[in-house]
Amino acid sequence: FMSLVAEFCCGFFVILILGNFWFLAVLYLLWLYFDWETPCTGGRRSQWVRSWTVWKYFREYFPIHLIKTSDLNPNHNYLLGFHPHGVLVAGAFGNFCTGPSFKNLFPGLTPYLHIMPIWFGCPFFREYIMSAGMVSASKESVSYVLNNEGGGHASIIVIGGAEESLNAHPGSLTLNILKRKGFIKMALKHGAHLVPVFSFGENELFKQVANPKGSWLRNVQERLQKIMGFALPLFHARGVFQYSFGLIPYRQPIHTVVGSPIPVKRNLNPTTEEIEQLHALYLQELRKLFEEHKGNYGIPEHKSLIFE
C-alpha cells in the first residue's frame, strides 16, 4: 500500500518535470536538498494530518484497538518493539500515527514510528509520512529520538522488519528476532526502557501465496528483499463488493497490546554479553506478554511464539 502511494507521488513528480511545471519540480528538489536530514532529526509531524477523519474510519474498519497493561512514566524515554510486522503493519500505523488513543493512554509521551529510510527518498510521499509522525529507522534517527534529556519520547520499531512480512500468513506466530539485537544496543546506549508490543490479528488481514522457506518463490523474495531493501509478499484479500479476491484487507480485529517496561540503565559501551542478556530478557517478556493475552484474542492454548 505504501508502495502504491509512493509510486503515485513519484509519478506526479515526473509529470511536473515533463510538463509545464518543471520549475516547481526544481524548487522542490532544492527544498529536498536542504530538508534531507529531517527524517533523521525527529521528522515534521502535523496534528492536522494525524487527526484526519479518514483515519477514524480506517481504525473502525478492522477495528483497531490499543491496550495498555502498565503505566509508562513520561520522565523516561522508551523503545517499543512492535511484533509482528504483518503485511500492512496496520496496528502500528493506526495506533501510533493516527487518533488520540496513545496520547490518552500514555499522557506525556510522543510516539515516533521508525520505518525504512528508503521511503523518505520519494518526492512528496516523504512529506506525508513525516506529517503522520513517521521517521527514519536509521541509527541516527533512533538516537535523536532517544537522546531527549527530559524524557517523554517513544521510539516504535517493527523489529522483524521487511523480512518478517514474508511470514505474514493467517495463524502464523513466527517472529524474526533472534539475530536482531541492534535495538537492544540502542536501548542500552541511551538508557531507554524497553517495552514489548504484540499486535494480535496483524497476520490475519491478508492471505499470502504459499512461500515456505527453501521454495523458489521464497528464494526470489529474499533475494529481492536484500537488493531493494523491502520485501514483496504476494498477498490478496477481498474486493469492494465481494469477499473472494482483492487487495482490500479483511475486516479482522486488531488488538495491539503494550507490555510493561523493562528498565534499562544507560551504558555507552555495552559488551556482547550485556547485549545478549538484555536480548534474552526481552524475548522472555515478549513471550510472557503473548501468553498472558493470547486467550483473549482467539489464540489456542497450545499455540506459542516461534523465534527465529
Side-chain angles (χ1 to χ4, degrees), residues 121-173:
C122 178
F124 300 117
F125 182 66
R126 70 189 295 275
E127 318 303 334
Y128 158 66
I129 55 179
M130 277 198 289
S131 66
M134 297 184 221
V135 291
S136 173
S138 66
K139 292 181 180 179
E140 296 79 10
S141 177
V142 177
S143 291
Y144 184 90
V145 173
L146 297 181
N147 207 32
N148 189 40
E149 292 185 3
H153 282 188
S155 280
I156 296 96
I157 301 178
V158 184
I159 304 299
E163 183 182 357
E164 194 173 85
S165 67
L166 300 178
N167 290 329
H169 296 272
S172 174
L173 295 172

Side-chain angles (χ1 to χ4, degrees), residues 92-107:
F93 179 76
N95 286 312
F96 304 122
C97 294
T98 74
S101 294
F102 186 87
K103 182 179 180 180
N104 292 340
L105 291 176
F106 304 103

Side-chain angles (χ1 to χ4, degrees), residues 152-212:
H153 282 188
S155 280
I156 296 96
I157 301 178
V158 184
I159 304 299
E163 183 182 357
E164 194 173 85
S165 67
L166 300 178
N167 290 329
H169 296 272
S172 174
L173 295 172
T174 301
L175 303 180
N176 291 60
I177 192 172
L178 292 182
K179 296 181 180 179
R180 297 182 181 259
K181 299 170 185 176
F183 73 104
I184 297 292
K185 190 173 182 179
M186 293 300 292
L188 282 165
K189 281 191 171 185
H190 295 281
H193 295 351
L194 282 167
V195 182
V197 178
F198 196 88
S199 196
F200 292 90
E202 200 74 44
N203 283 339
E204 317 306 315
L205 306 185
F206 297 92
K207 292 179 180 177
Q208 190 174 167
V209 175
N211 59 343

